[in-house]
Amino acid sequence: MTRKPLGQLLKELGYITEEQIAVALEVQKVKGGLFGEILQELSFVSPREVAEAIAHQSGKPFIDLSQYPPSKEALKLIDKNMAKQFQVLPFNVEDNKLYLAMSNPYDLNAIDIVKRRTNLEIQIYVADTETLLKTIEIQYFLLERPIDQEIKQIIERSKAGGADIPKFVELIINNAIIERATDIHISPEDLASHVFYRIDGIMRHYYAFPKEIHSPIVSRIKVLAGMDIAEQRLPQDGSFSHEFFNETYDMRVSSIPTAYGENVVIRVLSKNLSLFNLRSLGFEEEILKKLEEEFLKPQGIVLVTGPTGSGKTTTLYAALRRINALRRNILTVEDPIEYKFPFIKQTQVNEKAGYTFARAIRHFLRQDPDVILVGEIRDEETAEMAMRASITGHLVLSTLHTNDSVSAIPRLIDMKIKDYMVASGVSAITAQRLVRKICPFCKEEKVITGKDLLSFGFDEKQIKKFGNVENIEDQIKVYYGKGCEHCKGTGYLGRTVIAELLKIDHEIADLIVKGSTPLSIMEKARQKGMWTLKEDGLIKVIKGITTPEEVKRVTG
């Protein structure tokens, strides 16, 4: 089988354009280096997309190692040196079969050596080189020195009054990164203090430690974050950078006084936010097509709505990658800039200096823009400027805090935007949530009836349509994770998006101008084929991606 050049393969899969290839070749002439690496440095493709292309070409499945922690049993089958030398990582072992992640599935020599060393049948998965090497470093380090045990030892020693506080704080943060936590909560209670991690959107208790060391721990975090140690009666905010295995993480710290002492929450932000494409975020094909059409329009506002932590910014970033930055002038105003893109002019809000979202848009209009990304529409002035930019022939992308897509309409009208402006300025509104995915390592099939799904808030019509059954009593296959080492017994691993998309066409615009209720706008949109967050969740339940409980948890 002849292998296609990487550039051609990426182009066929729709990851890059002919134009981007030409620019990358120009840069290669100036700078030298490997073509594939230049494509990645220019952010035309992400390491993940290169790996997905190689997986596609080799007919092997792709695995995202940042989402799937390997089992200790599998790691012990190959030593670290061998894993690094051949760029392979054993991540699971069952029934005489070893699941092996590698960056080059064509390396038959490496496969053969692993096979001889382990005497197991080998199942190959493709991972991107960057994540693979990082996972090898971290996971083998943990095999020798489990962070979890170190933390417990410090807690044990602290009872005798000999705790290494800086070390404790560092380990708590490192462990949060390994566990993929987005937030660390250090909460004082009556009998002891506690450490919780928020993982895949759910708070999980990890450690309890003596109250005596709560205050020194809080002081240590405040010192790192540049906060006032002496002030314990008022809420405070701060931030600091944390390095872990050559990667920098931004830590946002917030403290509030409670009845038992100060409660501290640390938000963990990775500097190299993985470059996502809309498909890998989990959008269903039908919504994906419509979304991409919206992002390629010359003008109008596309709004992404949902509560905090529902992945709105990630969706906007993925959208930016769909828009050809070589042909269209793209300007952004963000708070903060989470990921840097080449060929896109990114600016950061600075309230102290008076650089607000609204002021940024006003100045952008003099910069000959095609596309303007506004981190968030928070106030009347920003809403008005975004509207004005859209009506004067620009594409505006932004986020808004509302529960569903239709609620964005009254929200904008509350911000003093005239209904006819909303009708003509906004072209589409999408609402999204993140649901946990069933752990692939312990996924089990379960047969239920359509009737069982009624208790999760799905209605009969939805169940028949998406479950593909004629009778509500008919059987439907769903899946659950029974809990294993990989998912820490939860049955879930990683998250995916569920979404609804409201397109503002002439009929919907007409209803907005007439002052129709959100409910009647929603009914009209549904007649035209729109499906709701709940229905998108049901599709993912039927496909075996998530569970009915999870959809109910996030959609209510």
Side-chain angles (χ1 to χ4, degrees), residues 337-349:
I337 294 172
E338 284 184 40
Y339 191 92
K340 294 186 178 66
F341 288 90
F343 302 106
I344 290 175
K345 294 83 185 169
Q346 291 171 277
T347 70
Q348 187 159 317
V349 167

Side-chain angles (χ1 to χ4, degrees), residues 388-533:
R388 200 179 294 172
S390 132
I391 288 166
T392 52
H394 306 92
L395 178 67
V396 180
L397 309 178
S398 191
T399 68
L400 198 64
H401 282 278
T402 62
N403 279 337
D404 55 19
S405 51
V406 175
S407 309
I409 296 164
R411 178 95 174 85
L412 287 170
I413 293 168
D414 278 350
M415 288 180 172
K416 308 277 193 297
I417 303 294
K418 302 271 189 295
D419 46 21
Y420 65 86
M421 292 269 284
V422 175
S424 59
V426 180
S427 58
I429 305 163
T430 168
Q432 65 179 58
R433 298 286 188 283
L434 293 175
V435 292
R436 292 182 293 167
K437 292 192 290 190
I438 299 165
C439 170
F441 297 104
C442 59
K443 188 172 175 175
E444 284 186 332
E445 189 183 295
K446 187 178 173 185
V447 177
I448 61 170
T449 68
K451 207 170 178 182
D452 294 325
L453 287 172
L454 289 171
S455 61
F456 295 104
F458 302 113
D459 66 43
E460 198 166 323
K461 229 157 127 189
Q462 292 173 337
I463 295 165
K464 284 179 179 172
K465 180 182 172 186
F466 296 105
N468 222 350
V469 291
E470 283 176 24
N471 194 324
I472 197 74
E473 302 287 349
D474 289 353
Q475 290 191 333
I476 291 178
K477 253 191 252 174
V478 293
Y479 295 83
Y480 284 89
K482 64 173 190 285
C484 65
E485 183 192 350
H486 297 274
C487 63
K488 298 275 192 291
T490 61
Y492 295 101
L493 198 51
R495 289 192 288 178
T496 189
V497 77
I498 59 171
E500 62 183 31
L501 178 65
L502 172 68
K503 288 185 75 145
I504 313 283
D505 59 13
H506 293 308
E507 288 178 70
I508 303 271
D510 200 36
L511 288 177
I512 295 170
V513 175
K514 284 178 180 158
S516 301
T517 63
L519 199 63
S520 47
I521 293 172
M522 189 63 155
E523 272 168 18
K524 187 72 188 168
R526 296 200 58 190
Q527 282 167 23
K528 298 170 83 90
M530 169 185 166
W531 66 52
T532 61
L533 278 170

Side-chain angles (χ1 to χ4, degrees), residues 317-359:
Y317 278 158
L320 280 186
R321 297 194 60 222
R322 279 299 296 145
I323 299 166
N324 187 344
L326 297 171
R327 289 208 176 164
R328 295 167 89 183
N329 183 19
I330 305 173
L331 295 152
T332 81
V333 53
E334 304 167 55
D335 182 21
I337 294 172
E338 284 184 40
Y339 191 92
K340 294 186 178 66
F341 288 90
F343 302 106
I344 290 175
K345 294 83 185 169
Q346 291 171 277
T347 70
Q348 187 159 317
V349 167
N350 185 340
E351 301 276 353
K352 281 183 190 148
Y355 186 63
T356 60
F357 283 126
R359 191 167 183 184

